[in-house]
Amino acid sequence: MNGSRRLSPQEIADILRERIRTGELRAGDRLPTQAELAEEFGVERGTVRQALRALQEDGLLSNVSKGSPPRIAEPAPAREEPQPTMVALAPRLTEAFSPSRVRIDAVCLTAESFMLALSEPVRHIHEGRLRPESVEVRILLPSREINLAFPVPVEGRDGDGDPVHERWLTQRNAQARVLQHNLLGLRATHGIDVHVSFRALPFTPPVKLYLLNGEEALIGYYMLTRREEEWESRTLEMYDALGSQSLLFSFAQRAGRRERAFVEESQKWFDALWETITTDLTLS
């Protein structure tokens, strides 16, 4: 490719990307060598290497730096439609329990969805279909000491206390204890090295977030609704979030550069928040 102006790495990457899009280069095809590409585009090999690195970061190349020209990668799997938490979480957790070392991090309003979805991988472990060696679970739940953004009474708090908050706290503690019990039980029944930790979040999370082995992030936005609930012979009117119905959006590292970056940044955010918060959650 002749001309007075030399192409930039981004321009070369765009040309190769267009060849992949139109089918001129198909999955499994080898690219020309760096020398051949440098000659075709009239640039130095370093410029070609930068262009190939950009294509690799987009998930378009495989077998990079293996001593031979890279191949065009298979197309990334199409992103699944977001699903309600109670539909999406259990199969994702089951898959996350497949490696020998499992690490699950979560931020949520209560542990209800996590507790219910966990029954699926636990059942697979009891059936001998999953055999992790270690399981580490870290969960951030709102502190009992804060004024929650939700759930809250429709009429506001009064001098008799806040039964809506009391109901939430009772549920938060009960669900977290069940989750903890079911996980720690794997240590006694299967010799799995299990660690479960809770810390007290100083704010109401606007989203629920699950990080699975640092490879996938599931995020769901809480949608508020006005509803009634029976509690200790009282009818409570409240603004609440139905977390089990929140749609979970999946971001997986294998799906490409942007989703990989989202997973990595979400994990960094959680790790930093976990280290900042030093107050363990009291489940009583």
Side-chain angles (χ1 to χ4, degrees), residues 143-159:
S143 167
R144 65 186 301 158
E145 305 298 334
I146 66 173
N147 290 325
L148 292 171
F150 53 87
V152 292
V154 169
E155 300 297 332
R157 301 175 178 87
D158 55 35

Side-chain angles (χ1 to χ4, degrees), residues 36-214:
E36 291 170 335
L37 289 172
E39 181 178 358
E40 176 186 354
F41 293 116
V43 297
E44 301 292 334
R45 288 194 190 185
T47 303
V48 170
R49 282 194 292 271
Q50 292 180 56
L52 297 183
R53 191 175 302 119
L55 294 177
Q56 180 188 10
E57 290 176 350
D58 284 343
L60 296 177
L61 298 182
S62 61
N63 297 328
V64 179
S65 302
K66 298 294 184 181
S68 59
R71 292 184 182 274
I72 306 303
E74 294 292 334
R79 177 183 290 182
E80 297 180 11
E81 291 293 322
Q83 296 177 309
T85 299
M86 291 311 297
V87 175
L89 188 54
R92 289 299 205 289
L93 278 180
T94 302
E95 182 180 351
F97 270 71
S98 298
S100 60
R101 298 186 180 277
V102 178
R103 188 188 70 207
I104 310 294
D105 295 326
V107 181
C108 35
L109 184 64
T110 72
E112 179 182 21
S113 298
F114 197 173
M115 175 196 71
L116 295 173
L118 186 68
S119 62
E120 189 70 8
V122 168
R123 179 174 64 85
H124 283 210
I125 290 173
H126 289 313
E127 292 175 352
R129 297 161 64 184
L130 294 175
R131 298 178 179 83
E133 296 177 3
S134 66
V135 175
E136 180 182 5
V137 174
R138 301 184 298 177
I139 305 176
L140 289 168
L141 295 171
S143 167
R144 65 186 301 158
E145 305 298 334
I146 66 173
N147 290 325
L148 292 171
F150 53 87
V152 292
V154 169
E155 300 297 332
R157 301 175 178 87
D158 55 35
D160 295 331
D162 186 349
V164 171
H165 185 87
E166 293 172 7
R167 171 185 170 275
W168 165 82
L169 181 60
T170 300
Q171 292 182 329
R172 186 207 71 172
N173 292 342
Q175 293 157 1
R177 283 195 295 265
V178 170
L179 185 149
Q180 184 180 52
H181 172 79
N182 290 343
L183 282 170
L184 293 179
L186 298 175
R187 181 185 298 167
T189 57
H190 293 81
I192 299 173
D193 183 21
V194 177
H195 297 274
V196 185
S197 305
F198 297 91
R199 287 189 180 172
L201 200 61
F203 58 85
T204 308
V207 299
K208 55 171 56 182
L209 174 67
Y210 305 96
L211 298 167
L212 312 181
N213 297 321

